[in-house]
Amino acid sequence: MKPGTVSTALKSGAIWGFIILELIFFSVAGEFLSLSDKAFMDWDNMLLLLKQSAPIGIIAMGMTIVMVNGNIDLSVGATFAIAAIVLLDSMTWPIFAGLGDWVIPVAWLLALVVGTLLGALNGLIVWKTGVDAFIVTLGAMLGYRGIVFMFNGEQPTSHLNWTLVDFAEAEFLGLATASWFLLAATFVIWFVMAKTVHGRNAYAIGDNREAAVNAGIRVGPHMMINFAIIGFLAALSAVVFYSESGSVNPNDGQLYELWVITAVVLGGTKITGGAGNVIGTFGGVIAIQLLRKGLGHIGADTSTVNLVIGLILVAVLVLDRQLNMKGKEELKV
Amino acid sequence: MTDAKPVLRLENIVKTFPGVRALDGVSFSVMPGEVHALMGENGAGKSTLMKVLGGIHQPDGGTIFMGDDAVVMSGPLEAKAKGIVFIHQELSLAEELSVAENIYLGELPTKSLGRVDWTRLADQTNAILQKLNVGFDANTRVGDLSIANQQMVEIARALTVDAKAVIFDEPTASLTDSEKVVLFDVIADLQATNVGIIYISHRMEEIFKITDRITVLRDGQYQGTVETADSTEESVTQMMIGRTLDLSRNASHHALGEVALEVRGLSCSKHYQDVSFEVRRGEVVGFYGLVGAGRTEIAETLFGLRDPSAGQILLDGEEVRINSPADAIARGISLVPEDRKGQGLVLGMNCRDNMTLPQIDTLKAGPFVAQGAEMEIFDKYHKQLDIRTPGWKQQVGNLSGGNQQKIVIGKWLSMHPKVLIVDEPTRGIDVGSKSEIHKLLRALAAQGYAVMVISSEMPEVLHVSDRIVAMYSGRVMRTFTSEDVTEDNLIQAISGMTSEQVA
Ligand SMILES: Nc1ncnc2c1ncn2[C@@H]1O[C@H](COP(=O)(O)OP(=O)(O)OP(=O)(O)O)[C@@H](O)[C@H]1O
Ligand SMILES: [Mg+2]
């Protein structure tokens, strides 16, 4: 067996083992602590969980490719909110008045284009200035959120289109619309990262940027594409979610970046880039949602949930480090 | 060869970095089927010239010709498209990716939808690997390979494209003798297909073995081009450093002192077993063996980086346990590591701060770092080791490879260790500085330091050592004194042959 095999296997399997542990724990604990008498492991409950994972999950797929690339995007929560406003507000614009329900695809398209452009703008700045993505997107996070507040002050932006709500609440083969979008996003990004040249280059750049430059990969444009992808997915997430809810508060999407990053890291993506995959991220998303739901099920409040997830995140990083050291054979650092 | 046109011609290339004129009007040409050596001291501008050619740096002046056309290498991609392959001095690989992906980085074969064509990739790669006769396959993760094998991956890149010119920037620095043979075969094959080859190395014996012409740079200036057949080591050295070197052994026979370090029956699981030796004050002990013989691991154990599984370490006759590098440093053991980039240097930090890093705690004036004391240390070793840098403020990452190595050595010398362990101390270092470092190691011994030198270069161990410990596959085969050692019996010892088998 090659060195590192154990740690790799453990890491790729670990998130699923963790999910199973969670399921067992909450099922058993639920018996004693739960306020409701419904079983935790109920099928409908699990389907609901998948649906509720969608907003964070769709963005997390984009974050995986961005983080494997060696970057990070802190502005996704704000992009999410902007896209939501564009979606809901544009349906009320007088120029689209004559379109009837055709306004829906137009509004979707507008929101997705705006999200993609905002992401691409981040990428362009990272590319052209060489400033660290952390700083650039931190600025964007504040800036984009500022735009959200400029638009409607503290007021929510609302518009309900019943055709749209019907679509969002529809189920196909037992899965909700949002769940389908999550699965589709996962599949597409998996395909890009595992199968395409663009995806493999993302790994190479995150692993050793100089080597990638030397090999003639155009690192700047490459990274911009990934930022555009995550911008698109942040908008897609908003579009899916607000089609159903129909009302966006200016604070919506706040802290999403942190949930998303936590899910990606739990799913085994290296924070420094170069390694990770969306299947792991999918596991990370599910694990977090399970934890939130499970803790709620046994009566814990939000602050406890945050505390527990924080602790788990640190524990995972410590464990990961331990495993990686074993891979390098007893050489101490 | 005389009637052919050069594949490549560089004319009056000028390149300046802040504070350094790295290239000052350098001209240079390569004929098809020629192996052209580029030589010069550390920091002379060899790598920079090649980076200009490879599109990584843009020249401030001068022209590159391919055939009769002046060309502009706007980037690595363009250089590659024009048939220039660059094997870099520092490994330039993505460790998490497979061998195949690294070899074809930037030009993975595709099928529809931008998908990587994995079968084609693996087939092409395995065909190349077969030619190189290496013991790993296309799907191996590069991070799992030894440094030497990683170097072979770099070399494999030369065979992927329809190359017009291939640049090898110090390819043999970490190769074993048998891998070198493979490399030289590869070069001969390329030569046979009329590829022009540029070969950078500080190892004279290689230069004289495989090159046709030699171009020498000094301080960024062109010194001239000579036919290898008409030259000697002395004449080339003269061109490089402006003087000749006294290469005779500095057998300064000073009296040896007490045993400073003794190792008894030391083992470390599968890396080495039952190793015993001693090093006296005033003595240089060389450790010679093939890559993988366990020498580096012994050094790491003595420096507290690895726990031994059995055996004793005695310092000044007293048994000690060394738990960490901090422990080792406190007891007067210093290690100049093999992999300077990974273990020895903070590339983004300046020269002076790198040098004083391990003793920064002791250089305090109140809560602040004593700048004066730091400067003193830097100035001393800057001079002593002849480090080429525009000043202490330069980031170490911007120094030439050899000068980076000197910073590491200066760093540990400044600690005044009792036992100094140097692992491949002159890898990538030019002949002039190499002999300076050898002199320095001898001088340190004469001052009463106990010195361990790990080296894979036979002339080096023969040159500096009072005694030589020959290792093979984790075991000490024999210990030689400078009187009874010969090249032959040293080679026998490190290839695992016992004297009975030989007889
Ligand atoms: N990116 C850079 N920024 C600033 N200075 C640089 C940079 N790259 C190289 N230099 C300087 O240019 C000079 C030439 O360096 P170069 O790497 O070409 O030397 P070299 O001949 O390859 O030496 P070696 O044998 O040690 O590899 C050195 O003084 C080096 O410090
Ligand atoms: Mg160089």
Side-chain angles (χ1 to χ4, degrees), chain B residues 17 20 22 41-48 89 170 202 394 398-403:
Chain B
F17 295 112
V20 200
E41 291 177 278
N42 297 130
K46 305 178 294 293
S47 297
T48 306
Q89 176 172 16
E170 299 198 33
H202 291 293
Q394 180 69 289
N398 288 340
L399 294 190
S400 78
N403 283 304

Side-chain angles (χ1 to χ4, degrees), chain A residues 185-236:
Chain A
T186 308
F187 175 78
V188 170
I189 301 295
W190 168 82
F191 179 84
V192 169
M193 293 186 74
K195 299 284 173 189
T196 70
V197 173
H198 179 84
R200 300 317 293 172
N201 286 350
Y203 284 93
I205 292 168
D207 191 334
N208 186 342
R209 190 155 157 180
E210 208 178 309
V213 172
N214 287 342
I217 297 173
R218 299 196 61 209
V219 172
H222 175 99
M223 295 194 309
M224 192 171 103
I225 292 175
N226 290 334
F227 277 104
I229 290 177
I230 195 174
F232 173 85
L233 288 173
L236 183 69

Side-chain angles (χ1 to χ4, degrees), chain A residues 195 200 207-208 215 329 332, chain B residues 80 93 96 101 116 323:
Chain A
K195 299 284 173 189
R200 300 317 293 172
D207 191 334
N208 186 342
E329 299 172 291
K332 296 187 276 178
Chain B
K80 214 160 153 187
L93 299 167
E96 297 284 345
E101 285 176 280
V116 179
N323 291 317

